[in-house]
């Protein structure tokens, strides 16, 4: 049976031009959260002093393994810029529905949320 999952990844801004994955959240077709993990920052030569203040943060490799246990190859993965998020985690999925290319959805969301704040 094919299942549908939605994934959203949050990022932390490293500098003016660069961000890194910080959090991965996945919900199923019944809107139940099936995964919510924090990714431990990996220090490098440009950013050697990444703080590891969140004890629940895990290495990206562990998050990817957990994600692969949940989402099988035949399952559908939906989200906004999902391909970029998967790429940043070093993985791919063959059945992705990425909402980023659909400007009409983005415009609709902007209109909806701007009305809800007024």
């Amino acid at each position: 049976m094919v299942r549908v999952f939605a994934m959203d990844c949050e990022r932390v801004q490293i500098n003016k031009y660069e961000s890194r994955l910080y959090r991965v959240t996945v919900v199923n077709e019944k809107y139940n959260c099936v995964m919510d993990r924090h990714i431990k920052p990996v220090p490098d030569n440009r950013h050697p002093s990444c703080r590891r203040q969140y004890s629940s943060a895990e290495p990206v490799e562990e998050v990817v393994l957990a994600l692969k246990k949940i989402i099988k190859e035949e399952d559908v993965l939906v989200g906004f810029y999902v391909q970029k998020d998967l790429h940043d985690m070093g993985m791919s999925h063959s059945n992705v529905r990425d909402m980023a290319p659909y400007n009409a959805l983005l415009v609709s969301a902007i209109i909806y949320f701007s009305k809800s704040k007024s």
Side-chain angles (χ1 to χ4, degrees):
M1 183 170 114
V2 176
R3 301 171 302 165
V4 178
F5 294 95
M7 182 173 80
D8 183 43
C9 294
E10 301 300 326
R11 299 175 178 281
V12 175
Q13 196 70 33
I14 299 297
N15 59 39
K16 187 175 178 180
Y17 306 103
E18 186 180 10
S19 63
R20 293 203 181 154
L21 286 177
Y22 162 71
R23 185 176 185 173
V24 179
T25 305
V26 178
V27 297
N28 64 16
E29 61 271 349
K30 295 181 180 179
Y31 307 109
N32 295 320
C33 183
V34 294
M35 182 174 159
D36 188 22
R37 305 273 181 99
H38 292 94
I39 296 175
K40 190 178 290 188
V42 178
D44 60 21
N45 293 337
R46 294 171 296 152
H47 311 100
S49 62
C50 290
R51 294 183 181 175
R52 297 171 191 253
Q53 61 196 16
Y54 299 102
S55 61
S56 64
E58 304 172 65
V60 69
E61 298 82 13
E62 289 181 21
V63 175
V64 168
L65 286 174
L67 193 57
K68 286 181 177 180
K69 286 181 182 177
I70 296 168
I71 302 172
K72 304 301 179 203
E73 200 59 36
E74 67 272 6
D75 294 335
V76 178
L77 184 59
V78 179
F80 197 81
Y81 282 121
V82 173
Q83 295 288 15
K84 179 171 176 25
D85 294 336
L86 291 171
H87 177 267
D88 290 351
M89 286 188 279
M91 64 181 292
S92 64
H93 188 68
S94 62
N95 203 357
V96 172
R97 302 295 182 265
D98 201 328
M99 299 294 111
Y102 303 104
N103 287 333
L105 291 172
L106 181 59
V107 171
S108 297
I110 291 170
I111 292 169
Y112 173 81
F113 287 111
S114 65
K115 286 181 180 178
S116 66
K117 290 184 178 182
S118 13

